[in-house]
Amino acid sequence: MDFGLVLQTDPPAWSVVDRMRRAERLGFSHGWTFDSCVLWQEPFVIHSQILAATERLIVGPMVTNPATRDWTVTASTFATLNDMFGPRTVCGIGRGDSAVRVTGGRPTTLATLEQAMRVIKELAEGREVQLHGTPVRLPWVRDGRLPIWMGAYGPKALELVGRLADGFVLQLADPFLTRWMVDHVRQAARDAGRDPASITVCAAAPAYLGDDIDHARAQCRWFGGMVGNHVADLVARYGDTAEAVPAALTDYIKGRQGYDYSHHGRADNPSTEFVPDEIVDRFCVLGPAEAHVAKLKELRDAGVDQFAIYAMHDALDSTVDAYGESIIPAMS
C-alpha cells in the first residue's frame, strides 16, 4: 500500500513545501493539496516548489474541477510541471465542491466532467482534441503522461470512473462502503472492456493517532460534514431510501442543517454537529498505531492501493511522523 499526505495550502506556502519534503523522507509516495483558490493559496504554484524540493514524490490536487480553470490551462499546467520535473504529477478531479460553491457556483454535470477529463488528458499527453469545433494541441509536449484520478460516490459517477479514469479517489476510510464502491468501479471497467486492476484506488480520510478517542473524534468530525456535502447531492438525486446508494452512507445526514464553507476542512467547523461518533469512527482512522494498521489492512483487502491522510487537526506533524516511523513500515 502506498501512502499520501493531503494538505490545505494555508500560508505560509513554504510550510506546505517543508511538510511535503519531510513526508517524502518518511516514506510517503504522494503529496496532495486542496484546490480551492478563494479559501486557500494557489496550489499549482506551490506544487512547482514541492516538486523542486523533492526527488520522487508524486504531486497533485485532491481535487481540482472542470469549472474554475480553463481545461487547456489545466492541461498545460500539468504538462509544464512534468516537462520540468519528470512525470511526477497526477490530476485528481471531481465535479467541484468548495472551489465552486464559495463563488456562488454549482458542481458540474458528470457529462461535463467526462469531457474535461478527456480533453485534459489528451492535451497533457500531446494529442490533439476538438474544442468548440477547433483542433487544439500543445505542440511542445513530448512523451507526455498524466494519470487522471476521479473522485466519486454515486453509482453514475462510479461508472464513469470505471469507464474512463486511471484512478479512483474515495474520500472515506470505511471498509464496507469502500468495498461496495470499488466493486462498482471494477464492474464498470469490465463492462467497458478495461482491466479493472489498471485503476488505482486511493482512499483519503483523516488519521489521528492516540488513546483519547473523544479528542480524536472532535478533531476529525469536520470530515463527516465535508463528505455530507457530496452525500446531500446524492440524496437529492436518488432519494434517501434508494437502493442505488447504501443507507450506511446517507442516513447520517438527516440532521444536516446546511454548511458554512468558511470553515471547510477545519477541525472547528460548526456545521458538523450533526455527524455522530459512529460516522467519525467509520469514515476516519483513529486510535493507537495497531488500530490504524488493522483498519488499513481491511482497506487494502477491500481494494485500496493508497491511503492518503487528511492531516487537518492539532496533531498534523506527530501523525505524519508516526506513520513514517511505524505504520508505513508495518504496511510495506
Side-chain angles (χ1 to χ4, degrees), residues 29-32 44 47-48 51 56-61 74-92 120-121 124-125 144-149 166:
S29 63
H30 286 66
W32 302 94
F44 287 103
H47 290 177
S48 69
L51 288 163
R56 300 171 304 280
L57 200 71
I58 297 171
V59 176
T74 300
S76 182
T77 299
F78 279 109
T80 301
L81 291 173
N82 286 336
D83 187 62
M84 293 175 68
F85 301 105
R88 292 171 53 203
T89 67
V90 56
C91 178
I120 292 167
K121 185 176 182 69
E125 295 187 346
R145 177 181 174 274
L146 180 63
I148 305 286
W149 292 14
D166 301 300

Side-chain angles (χ1 to χ4, degrees), residues 2-7 20 23-24 27-33 50 56-60 62 88-90 147 149 200 202 305-309:
D2 287 336
F3 287 84
L5 174 62
V6 190
L7 296 176
M20 291 298 189
E24 181 184 63
F28 287 78
S29 63
H30 286 66
W32 302 94
T33 69
I50 295 171
R56 300 171 304 280
L57 200 71
I58 297 171
V59 176
M62 187 172 281
R88 292 171 53 203
T89 67
V90 56
W149 292 14
T200 303
C202 174
D305 301 298
Q306 178 185 148
F307 178 61
I309 298 173

Side-chain angles (χ1 to χ4, degrees), residues 206-237:
Y208 197 106
L209 274 92
D211 295 322
D212 188 342
I213 297 299
D214 288 338
H215 181 73
R217 286 171 178 153
Q219 288 293 304
C220 297
R221 197 174 306 276
W222 64 266
F223 184 66
M226 187 179 82
V227 173
N229 298 329
H230 304 290
V231 175
D233 287 343
L234 291 178
V235 170
R237 175 180 289 271

Side-chain angles (χ1 to χ4, degrees), residues 15-321:
S15 68
V16 179
V17 177
D18 290 342
R19 284 185 166 116
M20 291 298 189
R21 183 192 295 118
R22 190 165 95 249
E24 181 184 63
R25 291 201 302 266
L26 289 168
F28 287 78
S29 63
H30 286 66
W32 302 94
T33 69
F34 280 35
D35 177 14
S36 192
C37 60
V38 172
L39 296 176
W40 298 284
Q41 293 185 325
E42 168 56 37
F44 287 103
V45 175
I46 299 171
H47 290 177
S48 69
Q49 295 299 316
I50 295 171
L51 288 163
T54 57
E55 297 178 358
R56 300 171 304 280
L57 200 71
I58 297 171
V59 176
M62 187 172 281
V63 290
T64 192
N65 68 84
T68 55
R69 304 177 192 275
D70 185 274
W71 305 344
T72 61
V73 173
T74 300
S76 182
T77 299
F78 279 109
T80 301
L81 291 173
N82 286 336
D83 187 62
M84 293 175 68
F85 301 105
R88 292 171 53 203
T89 67
V90 56
C91 178
I93 193 167
R95 294 173 56 229
D97 184 35
S98 63
V100 295
R101 296 188 198 265
V102 295
T103 57
R106 300 181 62 184
T108 66
T109 65
L110 286 176
T112 297
L113 176 57
E114 177 173 358
Q115 185 182 8
M117 290 165 61
R118 292 184 186 276
V119 167
I120 292 167
K121 185 176 182 69
E122 293 296 293
L123 289 176
E125 295 187 346
R127 293 182 290 275
E128 183 179 289
V129 299
Q130 291 287 325
L131 275 178
H132 314 298
T134 301
V136 179
R137 185 173 69 87
L138 303 181
W140 48 269
V141 174
R142 298 289 183 271
D143 301 319
R145 177 181 174 274
L146 180 63
I148 305 286
W149 292 14
M150 178 184 153
Y153 289 103
K156 291 185 178 180
L158 296 171
E159 187 273 333
L160 178 56
V161 172
R163 180 161 48 84
L164 184 63
D166 301 300
F168 170 35
V169 176
L170 170 60
Q171 295 178 94
L172 283 176
D174 179 273
F176 169 77
L177 290 170
T178 297
R179 191 178 299 278
W180 183 87
M181 293 184 187
V182 170
D183 286 348
H184 276 64
V185 167
R186 288 176 172 168
Q187 186 57 54
R190 293 187 193 96
D191 293 344
R194 303 180 67 199
D195 178 5
S198 68
I199 302 172
T200 303
V201 177
C202 174
Y208 197 106
L209 274 92
D211 295 322
D212 188 342
I213 297 299
D214 288 338
H215 181 73
R217 286 171 178 153
Q219 288 293 304
C220 297
R221 197 174 306 276
W222 64 266
F223 184 66
M226 187 179 82
V227 173
N229 298 329
H230 304 290
V231 175
D233 287 343
L234 291 178
V235 170
R237 175 180 289 271
Y238 298 105
D240 61 1
T241 60
E243 295 181 0
V245 183
L249 183 61
T250 60
D251 280 353
Y252 84 98
I253 70 162
K254 291 178 179 178
R256 184 175 181 266
Q257 299 291 323
Y259 191 82
D260 181 357
Y261 275 90
S262 66
H263 298 276
H264 186 61
R266 305 291 191 186
D268 62 352
N269 192 327
S271 303
T272 60
E273 295 178 356
F274 71 94
V275 181
D277 289 348
E278 178 193 2
I279 288 295
V280 182
D281 294 347
R282 292 182 64 166
F283 286 11
C284 305
V285 184
L286 312 176
E290 55 269 25
H292 285 244
V293 171
K295 190 164 190 178
L296 291 170
K297 287 181 177 178
E298 286 189 77
L299 290 171
R300 185 174 61 188
D301 290 344
V304 172
D305 301 298
Q306 178 185 148
F307 178 61
I309 298 173
Y310 279 118
M312 294 88 189
H313 49 57
D314 64 2
L316 190 168
D317 292 322
S318 61
T319 296
V320 172
D321 288 344

